[in-house]
Amino acid sequence: KQPVRIECGGRSRRGEGGAMAVLSARAHRTLQDLQEEVAERTGPSCLVSCSPEVDSYCQKSGLSFVHLLRPFCQLKNVNAPVRTVGDSAYRIQDLTIRVYDGRTMYQPTVAQGDDHLAHVLSSYRVEKEIEGVDAGSEESLRGYLNSKIERAREVKVPWWRKFRQEYDRLLLFGTHETLDLPVAAIIAVNSSDPDVVSKTKALVERTRQEHADVWNPNLLKHFVLVHDCQNGDMEMAKRQLEGMKLAFGKNECHMVHLNGKVPDLLNGTPPIPDLWSECIKESLPGGGAGEFKVQTSGAGGDEGSTLGSLLSDEDI
């Protein structure tokens, strides 16, 4: 019986070489996936603290302020020069920033974590065998390698990736962990306050006291003025922003406006793309691991409504 020949990469190889090429390509894709996950897991962490009014503005669109920011934390083509502690120079091209509300930056108990992982697994049907493969037949094995590897990963063990991600998330904010210590703080206040500068200073002090274990005087701080387009005057908000820039620095202050869509006209406007579902992790009963105790739902808290439904293109 003649050996089976496979065309791979423009070159003729015997069955064994073709199988190895498939495995090599698969390993390369796995390495890329791993590199992306490591970059996401080890990105700099930012503590977010916002006033209750900012929370209420975001809840109109079914989001928290942290969830609002997360889809925009994948920075591409940054091309920023940095130096290591050994004084070696290099440039950062891509950067993932992790943002967490300070109230969620703690680790769940072991019992809560075990219950959560059991719940993750219970939502999948695990298949124990891969049928239709004859290990003694090169033709059968080749067909499996060429067409079933992706299916074996996604269909036969679909729980593995989710389990690994959730297991890793439960280990965030350990008492011995320095990787999750915030390198910056985002302070968000509402534009409706008559004295946003005083309110910002008070929020900074409250945040420092509440998170004294991770706060340090040199923590980079960025100030965000959040304006609800359904309430308040935009021109007044712009004047408030100028006052913040005088107090805290021009480059340290920005404004974000929300809820620019008129509710009465929502039925006549195309739905906004869902940018947020993948950024919102499942909540644990006791909270922690970067999420609140209460799960974020759709706009206004109504089940089944669209996240970000009151945000206009200008808001985004």
Side-chain angles (χ1 to χ4, degrees):
K1 183 178 179 180
Q2 294 294 322
V4 179
R5 301 176 70 85
I6 305 173
E7 294 295 327
C8 180
R11 297 170 61 185
S12 177
R13 299 193 177 192
R14 298 191 181 275
E16 181 181 359
M20 291 303 296
V22 173
L23 290 175
S24 177
R26 176 70 187 93
H28 179 68
R29 290 193 297 272
T30 301
L31 179 60
Q32 287 182 323
D33 293 342
L34 181 60
Q35 289 173 334
E36 292 175 359
E37 291 183 12
V38 169
E40 182 176 351
R41 172 63 184 89
T42 59
S45 172
C46 291
L47 182 152
V48 177
S49 181
C50 55
S51 65
E53 292 82 2
V54 171
D55 279 332
S56 66
Y57 294 168
C58 297
Q59 286 168 5
K60 292 182 180 181
S61 290
L63 299 164
S64 68
F65 187 66
V66 164
H67 294 147
L68 179 74
L69 297 178
R70 281 183 181 169
F72 310 102
C73 290
Q74 302 280 346
L75 308 181
K76 302 295 184 182
N77 301 320
V78 178
N79 196 29
V82 296
R83 285 187 177 274
T84 67
V85 292
D87 205 33
S88 297
Y90 70 99
R91 286 183 174 271
I92 295 177
Q93 298 299 329
D94 300 330
L95 181 65
T96 298
I97 298 175
R98 297 179 292 145
V99 292
Y100 302 104
D101 191 288
R103 296 166 291 179
T104 70
M105 296 178 72
Y106 61 93
Q107 195 174 90
T109 65
V110 174
Q112 291 170 340
D114 288 344
D115 291 342
H116 177 65
L117 293 177
H119 172 70
V120 170
L121 287 179
S122 67
S123 61
Y124 291 95
R125 180 175 64 89
V126 181
E127 298 183 38
K128 297 181 180 180
E129 297 180 359
I130 300 175
E131 300 177 355
V133 177
D134 180 3
S137 168
E138 184 179 10
E139 187 70 27
S140 177
L141 184 59
R142 183 186 65 178
Y144 169 73
L145 291 173
N146 285 331
S147 64
K148 297 292 183 66
I149 285 182
E150 288 298 327
R151 183 173 181 272
R153 184 182 70 145
E154 302 296 338
V155 178
K156 300 298 180 180
V157 286
W159 51 269
W160 169 242
R161 185 180 181 88
K162 178 68 173 178
F163 178 87
R164 185 179 60 192
Q165 291 174 342
E166 289 300 291
Y167 180 84
D168 187 61
R169 183 166 72 93
L170 294 173
L171 298 178
L172 292 172
F173 314 120
T175 55
H176 64 285
E177 182 61 77
T178 59
L179 187 63
D180 300 321
L181 288 176
V183 299
I186 299 175
I187 309 297
V189 296
N190 53 296
S191 64
S192 60
D193 194 280
D195 188 356
V196 294
V197 173
S198 297
K199 185 161 189 175
T200 302
K201 292 179 178 179
L203 183 56
V204 171
E205 179 60 22
R206 190 191 77 189
T207 305
R208 184 190 67 81
Q209 295 177 0
E210 292 178 350
H211 307 288
D213 54 336
V214 297
W215 189 274
N216 71 75
N218 297 321
L219 196 67
L220 179 67
K221 291 179 283 293
H222 193 80
F223 305 95
V224 180
L225 182 67
V226 182
H227 177 68
D228 185 0
C229 294
Q230 295 180 354
N231 297 295
D233 177 47
M234 178 63 76
E235 293 303 318
M236 175 64 73
K238 291 180 179 179
R239 289 193 290 271
Q240 296 272 41
L241 178 63
E242 291 304 315
M244 289 181 65
K245 288 181 178 180
L246 289 175
F248 305 110
K250 180 179 180 181
N251 296 325
E252 283 71 38
C253 302
H254 286 86
M255 181 168 65
V256 172
H257 51 83
L258 306 175
N259 307 321
K261 280 189 176 180
V262 180
D264 295 338
L265 301 178
L266 286 179
N267 293 332
T269 58
I272 194 169
D274 183 4
L275 305 175
W276 297 277
S277 292
E278 293 185 0
C279 302
I280 302 176
K281 307 301 181 181
E282 186 174 352
S283 296
L284 280 74
E291 292 294 342
F292 298 97
K293 294 182 180 180
V294 179
Q295 182 67 53
T296 301
S297 59
D302 297 331
E303 190 68 27
S305 51
T306 305
L307 294 173
S309 59
L310 293 182
L311 300 178
S312 66
D313 292 339
E314 290 77 13
D315 294 338
I316 297 176

